Structure formats: C-alpha cells, structure tokens
Amino acid sequence: MTTSSAATINVLDKGFVRLVEHMGSDLSIVRNARVSYDADWRSGDGLPEGVSTDPGKDAKLIEYLLKNKHTSPFEAVVFTFEVKAPIFVFRQWHRHRTWSYNEVSARYTELDEGFYVPSVEHITTQSTSNKQMRTTDQHPFAEHIQQVIESECQTAHGVYQNLILKGCPRELARAVLPGAAYSRMMATCNLHNLLHNFIPLRMHSHAQYEIRVYAQAIYALLHTIVPVTVEAYSRLNDDYKRS
Amino acid sequence: MTTSSAATINVLDKGFVRLVEHMGSDLSIVRNARVSYDADWRSGDGLPEGVSTDPGKDAKLIEYLLKNKHTSPFEAVVFTFEVKAPIFVFRQWHRHRTWSYNEVSARYTELDEGFYVPSVEHITTQSTSNKQMRTTDQHPFAEHIQQVIESECQTAHGVYQNLILKGCPRELARAVLPGAAYSRMMATCNLHNLLHNFIPLRMHSHAQYEIRVYAQAIYALLHTIVPVTVEAYSRLNDDYKRS
Amino acid sequence: MTTSSAATINVLDKGFVRLVEHMGSDLSIVRNARVSYDADWRSGDGLPEGVSTDPGKDAKLIEYLLKNKHTSPFEAVVFTFEVKAPIFVFRQWHRHRTWSYNEVSARYTELDEGFYVPSVEHITTQSTSNKQMRTTDQHPFAEHIQQVIESECQTAHGVYQNLILKGCPRELARAVLPGAAYSRMMATCNLHNLLHNFIPLRMHSHAQYEIRVYAQAIYALLHTIVPVTVEAYSRLNDDYKRS
Amino acid sequence: MTTSSAATINVLDKGFVRLVEHMGSDLSIVRNARVSYDADWRSGDGLPEGVSTDPGKDAKLIEYLLKNKHTSPFEAVVFTFEVKAPIFVFRQWHRHRTWSYNEVSARYTELDEGFYVPSVEHITTQSTSNKQMRTTDQHPFAEHIQQVIESECQTAHGVYQNLILKGCPRELARAVLPGAAYSRMMATCNLHNLLHNFIPLRMHSHAQYEIRVYAQAIYALLHTIVPVTVEAYSRLNDDYKRS
C-alpha cells in the first residue's frame, strides 16, 4: 500500500490523480496464473511459491497472458485513486461500470473546487472529418473563447454561491453549476479492467483531450507498480500511442 | 416487446420515461425458478412448462423468491427505457452500474433539449436535520430562486449556442452547460437490479425529489408488465412508501 | 419473444440448447446507437424512429459499431436459453460472470438426466504441443476408453441412486456424481457479452470440443434473431472459424 | 499485504482457506466515505486525511454506512484468498459473479488433490421440512454411507489415473472425477460483495454445511483485517448466527 504524496500527478489546470492504495504486483499476476497453468506448483506456506527466480520467465508468462486474453490473473491487482476532474470528465469516467466510486456529494456539501478553463493552445476547431472530435489546429479566436468560457463559469459559480447564501437547498442550487466545475472522487478498479477497458478507450487518439490526460496519468502510476505488465501491454497495444 | 406510445410517462417539466422494449413476464420468473426448485418439471418442447395453471400458486412462489432472496429468476426479465432527464439526475442514475446506457453524445451533436426549472412548490429549504436533504417547507423566496435558476440557465445556454456558432468544438462548449440541461438516453436493466437496487434507493424518501419521480415512473411501468411481482414486492417493502 | 420448439438444437449425445426468450433485434441495436450518434433523431412516439429505411445503411452502422467497439447498443439485445450439458461443461460456462443462471438444484431434487459418453471419433490423444488440449487424432484404444468412461459413470450413478434410496441427503449423495453427469439450466445473457466474451472464447479452436459445440449452437440461434449483426461479426472475426 | 502462513485456516478434511493479499482497512472505508460525506475534508498530501483521531467516531461512521447501505466505501477493501475445496463446493462458490477466480485447470494438469469424505457426525438425514436441506440428526447408517462414498471416490479416482496413464486426454478423463474431488483456486473479492452477498448467503443456516465452513473461515480472516467493520456487521446481522 502506498499513500506517499510522491504518487500524485497534476492534470489540467486544477486537477490531479493520486494513487491512494493498491494491492498486488507483477509477482501477484504470475502467482495467480500459475495456479491455473502450472502443474508443478504447490502452496500453502505463504511464500511466493511457484514464482520462478527467473524474472525473464515471469515477463514471458505475463506477455503470454496478455496476448492470449487470460484476463483473471490481472483482476488480482487493484488500485484506489483519488481524482479531481471537471464534471464533464466524470460524466465520461462514470460510464465505466467496473470501477467503484466515492464522489463528493453536492447534496451534502457545497462544491467549491473551482472550474476548468482550457488553455489557449487546446482551444482548437471542430473536426468535420470525425463528427465527435476537435482538430489540433488552434482556433483563430481561441483567446476570446477562453474568456467567454471563464466568465460564464465565474457567473454561474457566483449564482450558485448566492443561491446557497439565500438558503436554496444545495441539491437544487447545483443545477446551475457548469460541466467545467471540478469535483473529486476516490475510485477503485482492478488492473484487468484498467488495461482492457479504461486505458485503451480513454488513451485512444479519439478520446477527448481532457479525459486522455487523466488516462495518461493513471497509466504512468500503473507503471510504477506493475512495470513488467505495463511494458508488455505497451508492446502489444498501439492505439493510445497515436494520441 | 412493446413500443406503444401508451408506455410513455411525462416527468418533471420537460422529461419523460418511455418503455421501449422488454423481455419476460411474471410467468418467466416462475419458469426460471422452477428449473432450480421443481423436481417434477421437465421441458424441451417450448411450452410454458411447469407453470401451474393456478395463478395463486405462482404468486406465492414469486413472493417466496423475493422474501428468500432467490434473485436469479428476476434477472431473466429485462427492460429498455428511453429517458429524458436533467444532467444532474443522470449523474446519480449512472452510478448504478448494472444498467446499460446509450446517451446522446454532446461531443457528436449539439445538446438542445432545454433545461429543468423546478416548480415553485418544490423549491423548499435546506434540511438541517439531514445534511443531504431539503425539507418539504416551501422556501420564502421560492419564486425569486426559480427566476434566478431559470435566467442563469438561459444565459448559460445562450453562451453555449454562441460558442458553437463561433466554431468552438462541441466537446468544449458543453463545459458551460448547467446540470439542469436535459439529456436523453436509452437504458436497459433487468428486474432484479431494478427491484434490488434502483427502485429502493431512488424511490426512498431520502432520494432527491428530481430522481424519485423518475423511479416512480419506472415502477409504474414495471407494474404494467410484471404486476404479480410488483405487488408482492410492494407488500414486502415499505421504504419508498414513506416517500 | 419466441418459445417455439423449432428453436431447440441438440448437442452432444443427450444435451441441447433451446432459445426460450429474447428481447430486441438488429433494429434495436440501430435504434440504441442512433441515440448517441445521430443528431437528427427525435423520438417519443414509439415508432422505430431514426431507423433508416435503407437496410444497407443499418448494416453499415452495425459493422461500424462492432469495429469501433461501441458496445452498449448490443447490451440492449438479450437472450434466455435453456441448456442441458455435462457438469464439467457447466463448470467452464459458469466462469462467465455476465450471464444469469438458474440451474437444477441437486440439493432440492435428485439429478437423473443421464451422463455424457464421448463418441469414439472424439476420443483422441493428449496434445503435447499445447498442454491444455487434445489432438484430432483418434486414440488407438478409443473404444476401450469409451467403455471405461461409460461403465465408471454407470457405477457412480448407481451408487448415487443407492445412497438416496438409503436416505442419504441429496446434497451429500451428489458428491459421488461424475463431471459427465448432465445438468440443466436457464441462462440469460446480452448480445454484447455473448459476442465479446462467450462466443470468441468458447468457439475458439483452443476451446474444449464439448463446450465448443454448445457455443456453436448458441451462435446459430443468435443468427436467427440478429442476422445482420452475426454476419458483420463473422466477417470481422476469424478465430472461431479455425475451429 | 499479508502472505504470512499464519493466515491459513484448515477446512473440512483436506481443504483450507488462506489469505494471500489484501488492500485497505477500516481506515480506508472511513477515508473513502469521508470524500462523499465530509465537507471539511481536504486532501492531496497523502496522509490519512479526514480520519478522525477518535476511533469511536470512525466506528459510528462505519456502522452508519452499513445500516444505510452506503456500499461503495466497502468496495475499496479487497482480498485475495487461496482456497482448496471439493468441486461441488466450487460449483456453488462460482455462482457468485463478483469474485475473480483462478482455478487449477484439469485440462492443463492432472487433478490429484484427493477427495472429500464427510465425517460420520455430518452424515445426517434428508430434511423433509426443507426440501433442499439435511437435518442435524446423524443418519442411522452414517458409517456405512461414509464407506460407500469413500470407496466410490477411490474407484473413480483410480479410473481417472488409469485413463491418463493410457494417454486419455486430461480434459476427457476428468469427466469421471466425482464432485467430492478437491480442486484449488485463487479468488479475489471486495469487502462489500463479501458482506452483502457471499457471507450472508453461505453462512446462513440454510447453506450446505460444506460451504458454510468455508464462509466461516473467510469471515474469521476478514475479522483480522477489518475488525471494526466485521463487528458492526455482526451486530446488524443475525441470520448466519443461527447456523
């Protein structure tokens, strides 16, 4: 388990991903896989049995498991992250149903984590070739658009605070908060679902920039805990590299 | 399968729940349960075998299954709903991970389904006894609060449309849309998860009014398809009745 | 919904797969996908809105969804099968956690559905190249092995019946039943999980013959309900064709 | 993470449950819950923030979460167990779809972990009041029944070994193995699913004795890691106490 502040990566203008806790390692994956695939392995005494002392052999097994979709050994490695991100990013994130989420409740407490203002270089033009994407060409009025977004968010946040001052219930006042408002959550997911679902989809070049940077931060944190697996995965997958 | 427009219930000021498709019935539950629990049942010829011709006996079996948490027979009855609701309601809804969701993509298309404005009688005061709730006492400035929410949503929606007119990418422009903005989705869930999870939690008196009315609409639609089960469930559960 | 006995396919010597109920069609997939991806689509009146009258266009959309891993529209098509198979096949089947199962309870009732005896041509030799597989070369003593398996299963089944006659509890007597003993279940799964998980894994050439034939039967039944999807899937996937 | 052999509990005549790894603690539950429910909590520096220094207060929060079905904080505590149990016990166990399983593959390796022989005092009579259960009254011919089960299992196991010696593929030979044959697996599950699903169902007085003792072993191991939660849970639940 790690709770060192070293495991925090800042994302966007005010967000972050922090690795709060984790279970397992590259060795856990090998140990779980060997139950199914290694006739010779016997256990019970609590030592990391059946783990060859040859790291190269373990790396080969992990790559074999990834390549042949033997997914269950990767479900024995689990991570809890703390994430601060804009609501419109959480809206995409929460569509992943294999995570466990504990998010700040805006019914229970006033939301005042600020809001996301895109940097000028990320304010590009609407893609016409791919209807859901934006291009990488900076928008001619990028600075103006940035000001419009920022001032509208400031207005909305002011109205929100005012409603609460007037005694408007928090659960109703939040109706005026923009998608750019930051929220915070604790989120737990196992390595299989991260590598099979969240990472390829959200690190993909077609993913929106604002969630892709969170997926990249998580991928970097995974690498610190299961380097052998992440490197094997990276050799086998290319999509997200195009990002 | 039903796609009759009769199966649409209007909710809040602009929302609705529509039963799009469903699979199964009270008889399906009996048929599934009898595989596990009835030695005498034999099948294969496609008739609704093992279904006693005594409806009272079937009702007793369904009540027994609910009471004794034999949940799997209820997983064989499935519903697809079309739902139009405010984004802050979808935010709560999507935390239920046993549904399948297909929501309008605001990256792909401009969101222009309007926004939710609470009616004056539902603008009450913040509860102090239960930090997450609002009371049932109308707020002294309810009308003023309603105007503030409506005008802020109008402003935000205007800014949103303006950004899109200026060629701001849709996926960025949505950052200014308020939680009150309506979205639309198709959502599929089985009867077990509806009765075990969504209905008791979201029809509960502690649930926010704005999602409770959607849960009540779904409960009413369930009753049209599996009346025996819903009535047995209703006899066994009281929480949501306090709502 | 179909419960016609026409939807029954016999498998192995005494097993079968029967399509009991289903929800949805190729059109449902198109309808669900269009909510997310089609700005022009508007609905509410219960007609199959937004479904182009050009089947070719629908087929292209379905192939696009499969190719680009837009999986949720396929979760709105659901099937309930009745399956009779040997216990060692159910042991593999039940590892798929996205199905709902209602199996005959051997605590509640005596299991007397017979047992599986492999046909001589399927009694081949242990593979040495792939430690988990058998070859396609008939075993020199295939007939002898068949007799040994059959007589041992007969012995075990006789002991089982005897124990029950003596008043041994069913839940204990079943401890002597062999993996070849047939059991029966109702099993419900959605189309996404079938095409993403069960079909590629169990129709794969590396899957054991005795479960592969069940996967093939299910694949044939799927084709009768969602032919456009199954044909698009078949064009995109090759693994199981090597089986 | 613990891999100490101290965390092994022997079950039945040859089985065991071993706690291999775990993530989290009672404090993790408090920390996750406080994100949602505590306005005052701020984080990012990696300390166990927002964890009151008053253990009594934490215990009250955990009991509140259990009582009010705030389940997600308990999903952030995860356990991996190694389990050796008879196949007929695994057959019940694997119906729990919220676990991750890595079981010895009898296609890949010969199964020779022995088989379960019930002790004489647990060979009772078939219940007539509850069709699925056995009574607690020892069977008049308990010793005879024990011998019949043991000798049949020995016969079957001998036939199995013989088939493999003759070169019968492992995946076919296993068809003669009885449900009493021991298998082994690594199994991972989070605390919410353990306390909500596996423990109440399998520690319940209606559960079969042979799986109830495994549930009791797991419950004892949980108590060593999350004592505050297990004691609060135990105060709130009574079913399994009747066992």
Side-chain angles (χ1 to χ4, degrees):
Chain A
M1 161 177 159
T2 164
T3 56
S4 79
S5 57
T8 301
I9 296 177
N10 294 323
V11 184
L12 296 179
D13 58 342
K14 305 177 186 69
F16 64 80
V17 176
R18 182 168 70 95
L19 178 57
V20 177
E21 286 189 290
H22 78 277
M23 176 175 92
S25 63
D26 288 316
L27 278 189
S28 313
I29 296 162
V30 171
R31 198 157 62 233
N32 275 272
R34 292 251 158 96
V35 179
S36 312
Y37 305 116
D38 194 331
D40 315 323
W41 184 54
R42 288 294 170 265
S43 89
D45 62 17
L47 295 172
E49 312 85 355
V51 177
S52 83
T53 54
D54 171 358
K57 203 175 152 207
D58 291 347
K60 277 196 198 58
L61 174 57
I62 286 174
E63 185 151 352
Y64 169 86
L65 296 170
L66 284 171
K67 202 178 287 165
N68 294 275
K69 301 193 169 47
H70 292 303
T71 60
S72 43
F74 300 94
E75 297 179 19
V77 179
V78 185
F79 302 83
T80 297
F81 302 99
E82 183 189 7
V83 181
K84 180 180 173 181
I87 283 172
F88 74 85
V89 169
F90 275 8
R91 288 253 294 145
Q92 293 187 313
W93 203 310
H94 291 164
R95 299 299 300 278
H96 295 268
R97 293 160 295 179
T98 55
W99 289 68
S100 302
Y101 301 105
N102 286 285
E103 185 182 350
V104 172
S105 166
R107 297 181 70 195
Y108 192 96
T109 168
E110 181 182 344
L111 209 58
D112 61 353
E113 309 251 0
F115 43 85
Y116 168 62
V117 180
S119 62
V120 169
E121 67 266 32
H122 289 113
I123 300 175
T124 58
T125 57
Q126 174 67 47
S127 167
T128 48
S129 56
N130 181 326
K131 246 189 113 176
Q132 71 174 337
M133 292 177 65
R134 71 199 206 227
T135 69
T136 53
D137 313 325
Q138 187 168 326
H139 193 290
F141 314 132
E143 285 187 21
H144 171 69
I145 287 172
Q146 184 188 48
Q147 286 154 19
V148 170
I149 291 174
E150 180 158 26
S151 72
E152 170 49 27
C153 288
Q154 261 157 353
T155 307
H157 196 249
V159 170
Y160 171 70
Q161 289 174 311
N162 234 302
L163 284 167
I164 285 170
L165 279 176
K166 288 203 183 80
C168 173
R170 284 181 291 269
E171 67 180 18
L172 268 183
R174 65 172 165 178
V176 302
L177 280 176
Y182 273 98
S183 182
R184 205 160 40 73
M185 68 175 175
M186 301 281 258
T188 297
C189 191
N190 72 45
L191 183 58
H192 162 61
N193 287 314
L194 283 163
L195 293 182
H196 180 70
N197 183 296
F198 186 82
I199 291 294
L201 199 61
R202 302 307 181 179
M203 269 178 73
H204 192 283
S205 54
H206 290 185
Q208 181 167 352
Y209 164 78
E210 282 77 13
I211 194 166
R212 202 162 65 230
V213 286
Y214 283 92
Q216 286 162 346
I218 282 175
Y219 197 65
L221 292 169
L222 295 183
H223 188 273
T224 63
I225 307 299
V226 285
V228 176
T229 301
V230 169
E231 280 152 31
Y233 177 84
S234 155
R235 281 191 298 277
L236 295 170
N237 296 271
D238 300 302
D239 271 351
Y240 59 82
K241 290 183 190 156
R242 295 203 302 274
S243 66
Chain B
M1 161 175 163
T2 163
T3 55
S4 80
S5 57
T8 301
I9 295 176
N10 294 322
V11 184
L12 297 180
D13 58 341
K14 304 178 187 68
F16 64 80
V17 176
R18 181 169 70 95
L19 177 56
V20 176
E21 286 190 291
H22 77 277
M23 175 176 92
S25 63
D26 289 316
L27 280 187
S28 313
I29 295 162
V30 170
R31 199 157 62 234
N32 275 272
R34 293 248 158 99
V35 179
S36 312
Y37 304 116
D38 194 332
D40 315 322
W41 184 56
R42 288 294 170 262
S43 88
D45 61 16
L47 295 172
E49 313 85 356
V51 176
S52 83
T53 54
D54 171 359
K57 203 177 152 203
D58 290 347
K60 277 196 197 58
L61 173 57
I62 285 174
E63 186 151 351
Y64 169 87
L65 296 170
L66 284 171
K67 202 179 285 164
N68 293 276
K69 301 193 169 45
H70 292 303
T71 60
S72 44
F74 301 94
E75 297 179 19
V77 180
V78 185
F79 302 84
T80 296
F81 302 98
E82 183 188 7
V83 182
K84 181 180 173 181
I87 283 171
F88 73 85
V89 168
F90 275 9
R91 288 253 294 143
Q92 294 187 313
W93 203 310
H94 291 164
R95 300 298 300 277
H96 294 268
R97 294 161 294 179
T98 55
W99 289 68
S100 302
Y101 301 106
N102 286 286
E103 185 182 350
V104 171
S105 167
R107 296 183 70 195
Y108 192 97
T109 168
E110 181 181 343
L111 209 58
D112 60 353
E113 307 251 0
F115 43 86
Y116 167 62
V117 180
S119 62
V120 170
E121 67 267 31
H122 289 114
I123 299 175
T124 58
T125 57
Q126 174 67 47
S127 167
T128 49
S129 57
N130 182 325
K131 246 188 113 176
Q132 71 173 338
M133 292 176 64
R134 72 201 208 225
T135 67
T136 53
D137 313 324
Q138 186 168 326
H139 193 289
F141 313 132
E143 284 187 19
H144 171 68
I145 288 173
Q146 183 187 49
Q147 286 154 19
V148 169
I149 291 175
E150 179 158 26
S151 72
E152 169 49 28
C153 287
Q154 260 156 354
T155 307
H157 196 250
V159 170
Y160 171 69
Q161 288 175 311
N162 233 304
L163 284 167
I164 286 172
L165 279 176
K166 287 203 184 80
C168 172
R170 283 181 291 269
E171 67 180 18
L172 269 184
R174 65 172 166 177
V176 303
L177 279 178
Y182 273 98
S183 182
R184 204 160 38 75
M185 68 175 174
M186 300 282 257
T188 297
C189 192
N190 71 45
L191 183 58
H192 163 62
N193 286 315
L194 282 163
L195 293 182
H196 180 71
N197 184 297
F198 187 82
I199 291 295
L201 199 62
R202 302 308 180 178
M203 269 178 73
H204 192 283
S205 54
H206 291 185
Q208 180 167 354
Y209 164 77
E210 281 77 13
I211 194 166
R212 202 161 66 231
V213 286
Y214 283 92
Q216 287 162 344
I218 281 175
Y219 197 64
L221 291 170
L222 295 184
H223 188 274
T224 63
I225 307 299
V226 284
V228 176
T229 301
V230 169
E231 280 151 32
Y233 177 85
S234 157
R235 280 191 299 277
L236 296 169
N237 296 271
D238 300 302
D239 270 350
Y240 59 82
K241 289 180 189 157
R242 294 203 301 275
S243 64
Chain C
M1 163 176 159
T2 166
T3 57
S4 79
S5 58
T8 301
I9 296 176
N10 294 322
V11 184
L12 297 180
D13 58 342
K14 303 177 188 69
F16 64 80
V17 176
R18 180 169 71 97
L19 178 57
V20 177
E21 285 189 291
H22 78 277
M23 175 176 90
S25 63
D26 288 316
L27 278 188
S28 313
I29 296 161
V30 170
R31 199 158 60 234
N32 275 272
R34 293 247 159 99
V35 179
S36 312
Y37 305 116
D38 194 332
D40 316 324
W41 185 56
R42 287 295 171 262
S43 87
D45 62 15
L47 297 171
E49 312 84 355
V51 177
S52 82
T53 54
D54 170 358
K57 203 177 152 203
D58 291 347
K60 277 198 196 58
L61 173 57
I62 286 173
E63 185 151 351
Y64 169 86
L65 296 170
L66 284 171
K67 202 179 285 164
N68 293 275
K69 301 192 169 45
H70 292 303
T71 60
S72 43
F74 300 95
E75 297 179 21
V77 180
V78 185
F79 302 83
T80 296
F81 302 99
E82 184 188 7
V83 181
K84 181 180 172 180
I87 283 171
F88 74 85
V89 169
F90 275 7
R91 289 253 293 144
Q92 294 187 313
W93 203 309
H94 292 163
R95 299 300 299 278
H96 294 269
R97 294 161 294 179
T98 55
W99 289 69
S100 302
Y101 300 105
N102 286 285
E103 185 183 351
V104 171
S105 166
R107 296 182 70 195
Y108 192 96
T109 169
E110 181 181 344
L111 209 57
D112 60 353
E113 308 251 1
F115 43 85
Y116 167 62
V117 180
S119 62
V120 169
E121 67 267 33
H122 289 114
I123 299 175
T124 59
T125 57
Q126 175 66 46
S127 167
T128 49
S129 57
N130 182 326
K131 246 189 113 175
Q132 72 174 338
M133 291 177 65
R134 71 201 208 226
T135 68
T136 53
D137 312 325
Q138 186 167 324
H139 193 289
F141 313 132
E143 284 187 18
H144 172 68
I145 287 173
Q146 182 188 48
Q147 285 155 18
V148 169
I149 291 174
E150 180 159 26
S151 72
E152 169 50 28
C153 288
Q154 260 156 355
T155 308
H157 196 249
V159 170
Y160 171 70
Q161 289 174 310
N162 234 303
L163 284 167
I164 286 171
L165 279 176
K166 288 204 182 80
C168 173
R170 285 181 291 269
E171 67 179 19
L172 268 183
R174 65 172 166 177
V176 302
L177 280 177
Y182 273 98
S183 182
R184 201 159 41 74
M185 68 175 174
M186 302 281 258
T188 298
C189 193
N190 71 46
L191 184 58
H192 163 61
N193 286 315
L194 283 163
L195 293 182
H196 180 70
N197 183 297
F198 187 82
I199 290 295
L201 199 61
R202 302 308 181 179
M203 271 179 71
H204 192 283
S205 54
H206 290 186
Q208 180 167 354
Y209 165 77
E210 282 76 13
I211 194 166
R212 202 162 65 231
V213 285
Y214 283 91
Q216 286 162 344
I218 282 175
Y219 197 65
L221 291 169
L222 294 184
H223 188 273
T224 63
I225 307 299
V226 285
V228 175
T229 301
V230 168
E231 279 152 33
Y233 177 84
S234 156
R235 281 191 299 277
L236 295 170
N237 296 272
D238 300 301
D239 271 350
Y240 60 83
K241 290 183 189 155
R242 294 203 302 274
S243 66
Chain D
M1 162 174 159
T2 165
T3 57
S4 80
S5 58
T8 302
I9 296 176
N10 294 323
V11 184
L12 296 179
D13 58 342
K14 303 177 187 70
F16 64 80
V17 177
R18 181 168 71 96
L19 178 57
V20 177
E21 285 189 291
H22 78 277
M23 176 176 92
S25 63
D26 288 318
L27 278 188
S28 314
I29 296 161
V30 170
R31 199 158 59 234
N32 276 271
R34 292 250 159 97
V35 180
S36 311
Y37 305 116
D38 195 331
D40 316 323
W41 184 55
R42 287 293 168 267
S43 88
D45 61 16
L47 297 171
E49 312 84 356
V51 177
S52 83
T53 55
D54 171 357
K57 203 175 151 205
D58 290 347
K60 276 195 198 59
L61 173 57
I62 286 173
E63 185 151 352
Y64 169 86
L65 296 170
L66 284 171
K67 202 178 286 165
N68 294 275
K69 301 192 168 45
H70 292 303
T71 60
S72 44
F74 300 95
E75 297 179 19
V77 179
V78 186
F79 302 83
T80 297
F81 302 99
E82 184 190 6
V83 181
K84 180 180 173 180
I87 283 171
F88 74 84
V89 169
F90 276 8
R91 288 253 294 145
Q92 294 187 313
W93 202 310
H94 291 164
R95 299 300 299 278
H96 295 268
R97 294 161 295 179
T98 55
W99 290 69
S100 302
Y101 301 106
N102 287 284
E103 185 182 351
V104 171
S105 165
R107 297 182 69 194
Y108 192 96
T109 169
E110 180 181 345
L111 209 58
D112 61 354
E113 308 252 0
F115 43 85
Y116 167 62
V117 180
S119 63
V120 169
E121 67 268 31
H122 289 113
I123 299 174
T124 58
T125 56
Q126 174 67 47
S127 167
T128 48
S129 56
N130 182 325
K131 247 189 113 174
Q132 74 174 337
M133 292 177 64
R134 71 201 208 226
T135 68
T136 54
D137 313 324
Q138 186 168 324
H139 192 289
F141 313 133
E143 286 188 17
H144 171 69
I145 287 172
Q146 184 189 49
Q147 286 155 19
V148 170
I149 291 174
E150 180 160 25
S151 72
E152 169 49 27
C153 288
Q154 261 157 354
T155 307
H157 196 248
V159 171
Y160 171 69
Q161 288 174 312
N162 234 303
L163 284 167
I164 286 172
L165 279 176
K166 288 204 183 78
C168 173
R170 283 180 292 268
E171 66 179 20
L172 268 183
R174 66 173 164 175
V176 303
L177 280 177
Y182 273 98
S183 183
R184 203 160 40 72
M185 68 174 174
M186 301 282 258
T188 297
C189 192
N190 71 45
L191 183 58
H192 163 61
N193 287 315
L194 283 163
L195 294 182
H196 180 70
N197 183 297
F198 187 82
I199 290 296
L201 199 61
R202 301 308 181 178
M203 271 179 71
H204 191 283
S205 54
H206 290 185
Q208 180 167 353
Y209 164 77
E210 282 75 15
I211 194 165
R212 204 162 64 230
V213 286
Y214 283 92
Q216 286 162 346
I218 281 175
Y219 198 65
L221 291 169
L222 294 184
H223 187 273
T224 63
I225 306 300
V226 284
V228 176
T229 301
V230 169
E231 280 151 34
Y233 177 84
S234 156
R235 280 191 300 277
L236 295 170
N237 297 271
D238 300 302
D239 271 351
Y240 61 82
K241 290 182 189 158
R242 294 202 302 275
S243 68

